[in-house]
Amino acid sequence: MNKSLFIGAFAFSLALLAPALSFANDEDDTPLYGAHSGRLTLQIFQQSGTEIGRTIPAVAPATTPVEAGGYSRLGGGIGIDGGGFFDKTRFKTLVGFEGSAFLGYAKKPSYDKNPPSTGPADDSGALILRTDGGPTYAFLHWKGGHVTFLPGMGLSLDGGRVYGSYAYFYVGARGSIVLGKNLDVSAQYVHVPGTTVSSKYIREHRLEAFANISSVSAGARLQIDSTEAASDGKKTSHTTLSAIVGYAF
């Protein structure tokens, strides 16, 4: 994704707040996730895929290194999500802001073939940091539920991946509904159309679902991302499945 386009897209999403605030007439305290406004969670994930740029030594009589095979790695960490709606426009759209952060650690990856001879963090695990944040717009809402539009931007730092770190713009939607006195559920989809890594085209799809039973939150997330090298068009894909449990507040 072109950096100027990246910055412009997020600036546009923030600019949407201006007309919303100018027409605001009363506050609305509708929580982001059913009956809750945030979550503090413990997350465990399993990731698998292939990596561009990792190679294994040539085996005689061959002299040219070959790409490393598929890999998998196990990791975990803590996450926090939260925010809220702070106003309502004259068109009844709820306007708010939300953010999330994850800090974790991934074990050394294991490979289908011999361990690669190039690439970062081949012999050890890696710290992971990911943050997301942006405005939230509930164009459709009713007592006990709402559907929200989620534009925002984020930053991913991962020492165990070839492309290391990058910033990105994302768009998504989430539906939340209260099913009972102590039960609410939500489902969310987020798409990352591109990142600030100019040497590779990285795109992500994230799908997650949560259930909050009183103050106990449990859910799962499926993330599928694809990477294409800008130089030669080589493509890879990665799948991450996370199990999540924590405290809803």
Side-chain angles (χ1 to χ4, degrees):
M1 188 181 209
N2 181 276
K3 288 187 178 181
S4 60
L5 179 60
F6 165 78
I7 296 172
F10 184 65
F12 175 73
S13 69
L14 289 180
L16 291 176
L17 283 173
L21 292 177
S22 65
F23 292 127
N25 50 29
D26 64 331
E27 296 185 358
D28 193 292
D29 60 356
T30 301
L32 287 178
Y33 316 107
H36 298 84
S37 295
R39 300 183 294 248
L40 180 63
T41 58
L42 173 65
Q43 306 182 22
I44 299 175
F45 67 84
Q46 172 72 32
Q47 185 180 74
S48 60
T50 57
E51 294 280 26
I52 293 176
R54 296 187 188 271
T55 62
I56 59 176
V59 178
T63 58
T64 303
V66 297
E67 291 289 327
Y71 78 95
S72 63
R73 64 174 184 165
L74 182 68
I78 56 174
I80 185 168
D81 312 277
F85 297 105
F86 55 75
D87 231 321
K88 181 190 294 183
T89 72
R90 65 171 57 175
F91 305 108
K92 306 302 182 181
T93 297
L94 301 180
V95 182
F97 192 91
E98 64 180 79
S100 66
F102 172 79
L103 177 63
Y105 179 83
K107 296 177 61 177
K108 172 185 176 181
S110 58
Y111 289 83
D112 297 342
K113 300 178 182 179
N114 295 326
S117 59
T118 64
D122 293 328
D123 299 321
S124 62
L127 289 175
I128 299 172
L129 172 64
R130 187 153 195 159
T131 61
D132 286 336
T136 298
Y137 306 94
F139 295 106
L140 178 63
H141 56 93
W142 60 95
K143 184 177 182 179
H146 52 85
V147 177
T148 60
F149 171 55
L150 309 170
M153 67 182 300
L155 176 68
S156 176
L157 305 174
D158 188 343
R161 303 292 289 277
V162 167
Y163 42 75
S165 62
Y166 55 85
Y168 54 88
F169 172 76
Y170 66 85
V171 292
R174 179 176 59 246
S176 299
I177 187 169
V178 177
L179 297 178
K181 182 178 180 180
N182 296 310
L183 174 63
D184 58 82
V185 297
S186 63
Q188 175 176 305
Y189 169 74
V190 167
H191 175 54
V192 175
T195 70
T196 55
V197 180
S198 59
S199 61
K200 299 175 177 66
Y201 304 118
I202 305 169
R203 299 174 179 84
E204 299 180 0
H205 300 272
R206 306 181 210 158
L207 182 64
E208 64 181 52
F210 275 90
N212 299 316
I213 304 174
S214 187
S215 295
V216 178
S217 181
R221 178 184 302 115
L222 173 65
Q223 177 174 320
I224 300 174
D225 50 84
S226 61
T227 306
E228 179 181 344
S231 58
D232 55 18
K234 289 184 178 180
K235 298 180 180 181
T236 65
S237 62
H238 320 271
T239 301
T240 306
L241 182 62
S242 303
I244 305 170
V245 63
Y247 169 70
F249 54 89

